[in-house]
């Protein structure tokens, strides 16, 4: 880490899923020692000044041993008991990691705990669920998961569940796809508002987005989404959605996935300039202002630009913001301060 490295709080990664998948297939990969298969591990986090982030728990569909997962299977609906078991497994992985790390990784349940972890030079890990399949309509699982440390939740991933429907990944495509939140989904939003759990809009379809907008009492947040006008993926946000997020004084985290950055939507072509990433940031700033833009890398869940490569490359993006004349204050806001204040505003 160089002297002028800016700490980064990252709104989205899938590192816990990578670690869980490795454990299930009896592969030893160590987050603490580092592993080249991971975008985020402890040595690379230190090199890139990663202060912490929302660490997602995502449940893939059941898989037959030895058979690769087809993409169409990913969108099939999940049984709640199965999803809860998988969620517990990934959460246990996070707690085990924190315990073995001797305080180098700290599970944080509040913005204050994130600040304390940052002072310790630890990686602050806040738990997020991407797709609420593990949660029952009576919210018993929600209550227990909250007590365990869950502080952020996307009601759906890009598939349907009892709470609503996600956006597909077709390109080019609109997020306007299918019905919005169910009554249970609206109740989930109210319950999360009450408990102090952030609602993530990133994988919701457009009607679901508007439903959260009308039900939620908190600022609107998309943890890892980009600009639809620059890349017409249904996962990106239209100008109308950005306007609504701005009106709620909400926030968007820049997604590094090349398929959500590139104008051609090619999710396998990693030749994407740092400037292109800053173009999305600049567009978001125009709509959302200095307090409404942050980072949400999607590390360990997507292909990222060559020039970033993994979390150790985060400071290259910071350098590009400097080269585009973003001041130090704005850069710090985008890098970590906006995330911490948004969590505070959400009651976390
Ligand atoms: Zn995602």
């Amino acid at each position: 880490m160089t002297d002028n490295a800016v700490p980064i709080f990252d709104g989205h990664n899938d590192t816990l899923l990578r670690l869980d998948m490795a454990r299930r297939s009896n592969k030893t990969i160590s987050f603490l020692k580092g592993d080249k298969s991971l975008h985020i591990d402890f040595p690379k986090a230190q090199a890139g000044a990663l202060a912490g982030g929302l660490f997602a728990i995502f449940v893939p569909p059941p898989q037959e041993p030895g058979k690769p997962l087809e993409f169409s299977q990913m969108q099939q609906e999940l049984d709640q008991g199965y999803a809860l078991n998988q969620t517990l497994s990934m959460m246990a992985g996070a707690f085990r990691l924190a315990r073995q790390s001797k305080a180098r990784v700290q599970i944080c349940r509040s913005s204050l705990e994130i600040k304390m972890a940052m002072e310790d030079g630890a990686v602050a890990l806040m738990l997020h669920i991407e797709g609420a399949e593990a949660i029952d309509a009576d919210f018993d699982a929600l209550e227990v998961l909250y007590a365990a440390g869950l502080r952020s939740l996307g009601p759906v991933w890009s598939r349907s569940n009892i709470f609503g429907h996600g956006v597909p990944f077709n390109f080019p495509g609109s997020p306007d796809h299918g019905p919005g939140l169910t009554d249970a989904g609206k109740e989930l939003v109210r319950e999360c508002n009450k408990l102090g759990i952030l609602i993530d809009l990133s994988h919701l379809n457009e009607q679901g987005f508007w439903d959260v907008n009308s039900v939620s009492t908190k600022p609107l947040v998309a943890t890892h989404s980009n600009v639809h006008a620059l890349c017409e993926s249904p996962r990106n946000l239209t100008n109308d959605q950005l306007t609504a997020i701005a009106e709620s004084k909400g926030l968007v985290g820049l997604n590094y996935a090349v398929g959500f950055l590139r104008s051609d939507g090619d999710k396998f072509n990693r030749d994407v300039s740092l400037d292109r990433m800053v173009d999305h940031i600049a567009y978001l700033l125009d709509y959302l202002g200095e307090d409404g833009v942050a980072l949400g890398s999607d590390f360990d869940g997507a292909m990222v630009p060559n020039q970033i490569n993994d979390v150790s490359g985060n400071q290259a993006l910071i350098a590009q913001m400097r080269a585009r004349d973003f001041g130090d204050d704005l850069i710090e806001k985008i890098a970590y301060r906006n995330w911490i204040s948004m969590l505070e505003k959400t009651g976390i």
Side-chain angles (χ1 to χ4, degrees):
M1 184 167 44
T2 50
D3 281 348
N4 62 350
V6 178
I8 309 273
F9 190 88
D10 183 7
H12 189 88
N13 71 66
D14 287 302
T15 309
L16 292 177
L17 174 63
R18 296 275 156 219
L19 294 171
D20 195 64
M21 281 163 48
R23 194 171 71 100
R24 280 164 196 278
S25 51
N26 296 316
K27 285 192 195 119
T28 27
I29 64 174
S30 168
F31 180 90
L32 294 171
K33 290 197 188 105
D35 191 283
K36 63 178 183 335
S37 71
L38 294 170
H39 283 153
I40 301 182
D41 57 30
F42 190 74
K44 292 199 278 274
Q46 294 258 289
L50 182 74
L54 297 176
F55 281 64
I57 292 170
F58 169 76
V59 180
Q63 195 180 357
E64 283 178 54
K67 267 200 178 169
L69 213 52
E70 299 289 329
F71 193 75
S72 58
Q73 285 172 273
M74 295 290 285
Q75 281 164 311
Q76 86 195 20
E77 294 183 34
L78 300 182
D79 172 71
Q80 190 243 332
Y82 165 79
L84 182 56
N85 259 327
Q86 301 287 309
T87 298
L88 293 181
S89 168
M90 274 176 267
M91 261 192 168
F95 290 126
R96 214 172 277 129
L97 170 62
R99 178 165 51 78
Q100 289 165 352
S101 78
K102 302 193 169 68
R104 285 175 291 167
V105 176
Q106 299 181 12
I107 310 281
C108 296
R109 293 172 174 81
S110 66
S111 37
L112 181 65
E113 286 183 357
I114 292 172
K115 288 183 204 163
M116 287 171 8
M118 285 178 76
E119 277 176 29
D120 285 355
V123 173
L125 189 162
M126 187 163 268
L127 289 165
H128 166 82
I129 281 184
E130 184 166 38
E133 279 82 2
I135 295 167
D136 52 281
D138 294 326
F139 304 128
D140 291 343
L142 182 71
E143 193 73 35
V144 174
L145 293 174
Y146 174 78
L150 180 72
R151 290 296 179 273
S152 173
L153 166 163
V156 295
W157 184 70
S158 291
R159 62 188 170 204
S160 296
N161 62 28
I162 60 166
F163 302 114
H165 312 277
V167 277
F169 293 97
N170 58 306
F171 187 94
S174 153
D176 186 6
H177 194 275
L181 294 184
T182 61
D183 287 344
K186 291 174 188 165
E187 207 45 53
L188 175 66
V189 172
R190 290 186 196 101
E191 205 61 29
C192 287
N193 282 169
K194 216 187 295 170
L195 288 168
I197 295 179
L198 180 127
I199 295 285
D200 178 18
L201 296 159
S202 273
H203 283 266
L204 270 173
N205 63 11
E206 190 168 345
Q207 189 53 51
F209 177 100
W210 297 120
D211 288 340
V212 173
N213 184 40
S214 55
V215 173
S216 181
T217 56
K218 305 291 183 187
L220 298 177
V221 175
T223 61
H224 60 306
S225 292
N226 294 338
V227 175
H228 195 268
L230 298 179
C231 166
E232 291 175 47
S233 164
R235 275 281 284 102
N236 286 341
L237 298 156
T238 64
N239 292 345
D240 285 349
Q241 290 178 305
L242 292 176
T243 303
I245 294 172
E247 279 167 4
S248 79
K249 299 201 178 344
L251 174 144
V252 174
L254 177 81
N255 193 320
Y256 302 180
V258 293
F260 306 145
L261 289 166
R262 298 174 60 91
S263 58
D264 65 3
D266 186 344
K267 59 182 180 212
F268 301 112
N269 188 340
R270 298 177 61 219
D271 184 14
V272 174
S273 67
L274 295 168
D275 225 26
R276 177 73 185 171
M277 299 175 79
V278 182
D279 287 344
H280 278 267
I281 292 177
Y283 195 104
L284 292 171
L285 283 169
D286 279 348
Y287 272 84
L288 305 170
E290 294 205 351
D291 299 331
V293 185
L295 303 175
S297 68
D298 225 344
F299 279 138
D300 288 314
M303 287 209 177
V304 302
N306 275 325
Q307 292 185 62
I308 296 283
N309 211 37
D310 57 48
V311 69
S312 67
N314 255 335
Q315 296 299 317
L317 180 59
I318 299 290
Q320 193 62 27
M321 287 194 260
R322 280 204 189 98
R324 293 267 291 257
D325 285 333
F326 287 29
D328 286 345
D329 192 55
L330 175 58
I331 291 175
E332 280 183 14
K333 281 182 165 188
I334 294 169
Y336 71 98
R337 279 167 38 203
N338 283 346
W339 258 126
I340 294 173
S341 11
M342 186 51 57
L343 292 168
E344 276 167 1
K345 283 183 213 159
T346 310
I348 297 169

